[in-house]
Amino acid sequence: SKQINMVFFNTNQNENVYTCAYSIALLNYNCGVTSYLLFIKNGGSDEESVVYAYATLSLMLGLLLGQITFGVFGDLVGRRLSFQVSSFFLIIGSFLSIFSGLLSNYKLIIAELTLFRLLLGFGAGGLYPLIAAITRESSQENIANSNVALVFGPLGSLGLVLAPLFALGASFLPISNDLQWRLVVAIGALASLVLLWLDVDETYTQDEIPTNGFNTWVVSYQIFLSELYISFSSNRTRMLFIGSSISWFLSDTLHYGNIMMQAKFIDSLLRNKYLEDSTSIKTIAYMGIAAGFSFWFGGILSVFALRHVSALALQLHGFLLSAASFFIVTLCRLVLPPSWWPLTLLMYSLTYVCNGFGPGPTTFLLPSLLFSQSIRTTANGVAAAFGKVGALFGIITASLFGFEISTMMACFGAFSLMGSGSTLITMQYYLKKTNKSVSPNNINKRPASSFDYQDYIQISPYDHNTNKSMIIL
């Protein structure tokens, strides 16, 4: 623990940071095992594909809804309560997934998995914006950026490595594929019980409101809406939000689209050479380990890079490097002979490294950096929801349209260039009214435009003598 503090944190940190790191790794694991839903049935590949498609789409929808819902709740009722409720949905969804379809027919398997993965995604999605805000608000300002990158990068992405690693180990057990998958899911579900013991300290609540009962919620809601209105009445804030949302959309398009292309890409390189079946659980697990490790290594590089460059600069360079890696893979596919497949495979692995180095962690980091504390989780949650729309776009593009691999890699390279463009827009508006000599880490407090309860008294349609709300905004 002291070595981790020395290398990554430089000082003893609030336990919130460790709790957040564990939570991200856990939800990445529980969401990652969805890839192995393909083996929920023994045989019947068409049925397996349908189950996988429904489970993936329901998980993405749950993530999207959870990010928006708990993003708003995080600013409205506080980080701690929202964290606890979101964790509850994650635990319930994880445990119910173990038993989905165990005693029912095939049609009920689809219905149950769709519901249970939706619950899991709802809880996991809610944790994303909360953890980004809690980590930042629990860290010293000079290392806040590095801490967020550490939580969402090398520590959080361990879940992406462990999911295929445990799936690979389960594949060697003398049990059916169905039981193998349930065993892998059960590991994540049992690990999620730790969240019942772990807790986070409150890092933000609205100023104390001298009312009680239902009136407290009314005034709290009105203050929250007023905060949003004041913040987004500024063109600069709106453009920062648009830029960060577009970047998140493109980042998730690349990440999830690339994952969907992985099996097809590897199969085209190694078929009839070293690979017998690209759809076996062992092969997919090996590919998942390689991709997760590459993303994990990129996350480590991002933590150290943030000690020397700003988060916006890191995201910009990450997108540019990602574009270069995708275009190089395209050239390797078009120019190199088949015997040079190791070089092509190495270049392909770099696409995951570049994503983990740049846009992977910075998309989570930037909303907590660019927006005031009073609307931080809301902005983060809505921007993350745009990312999940991008994830669905990447999955559909890569799996349904059937583009040739080289063409798809070139498209991903173009998306990366678009991500660098959206980052430049964000950077332009961030620097527009900010002293360039001031570190972005200093933006961690509520801005001057924000207000407290006494300010609210002067502008709110509320009778403070009778404690009765006159108008609900």
Side-chain angles (χ1 to χ4, degrees), residues 193-263:
L193 290 177
V194 178
L195 293 177
L196 298 175
W197 174 70
L198 295 177
D199 197 6
V200 294
D201 297 326
E202 186 61 78
T203 59
Y204 169 78
T205 55
Q206 292 182 349
D207 296 314
E208 184 176 352
I209 301 173
T211 62
N212 52 61
F214 179 73
N215 289 332
T216 302
W217 289 94
V218 172
V219 177
S220 178
Y221 179 67
Q222 290 177 330
I223 291 177
F224 170 69
L225 290 183
S226 300
E227 292 273 13
L228 282 178
Y229 176 79
I230 288 178
S231 298
F232 282 91
S233 62
S234 166
N235 181 62
R236 177 174 178 268
T237 301
R238 291 195 300 269
M239 293 307 298
L240 289 175
F241 176 76
I242 292 173
S244 59
S245 297
I246 293 175
S247 298
W248 211 324
F249 176 92
L250 294 168
S251 175
D252 276 12
T253 298
L254 296 174
H255 181 70
Y256 289 93
N258 201 17
I259 289 176
M260 292 301 296
M261 289 293 296
Q262 189 181 78

Side-chain angles (χ1 to χ4, degrees), residues 36 39 160-161 163-169 171-172 262-263 266 270 274-294 345 348-349 352:
Y36 307 101
F39 308 98
L160 300 176
V161 179
L165 192 62
F166 282 122
L168 179 63
S171 68
F172 290 100
Q262 189 181 78
I266 301 298
L270 305 180
Y274 304 97
L275 188 65
E276 295 181 359
D277 183 8
S278 62
T279 62
S280 70
I281 189 171
K282 293 181 181 179
T283 302
I284 291 181
Y286 280 126
M287 291 189 292
I289 294 172
F293 179 79
S294 299
L345 190 59
Y348 180 69
S349 65
Y352 289 97

Side-chain angles (χ1 to χ4, degrees), residues 409-432:
M409 292 294 110
C411 288
F412 288 156
F415 291 151
S416 300
L417 289 178
M418 293 169 62
S420 63
S422 64
T423 305
L424 283 174
I425 293 175
T426 307
M427 187 178 294
Q428 175 187 359
Y429 280 90
Y430 175 74
L431 297 175
K432 192 173 183 179

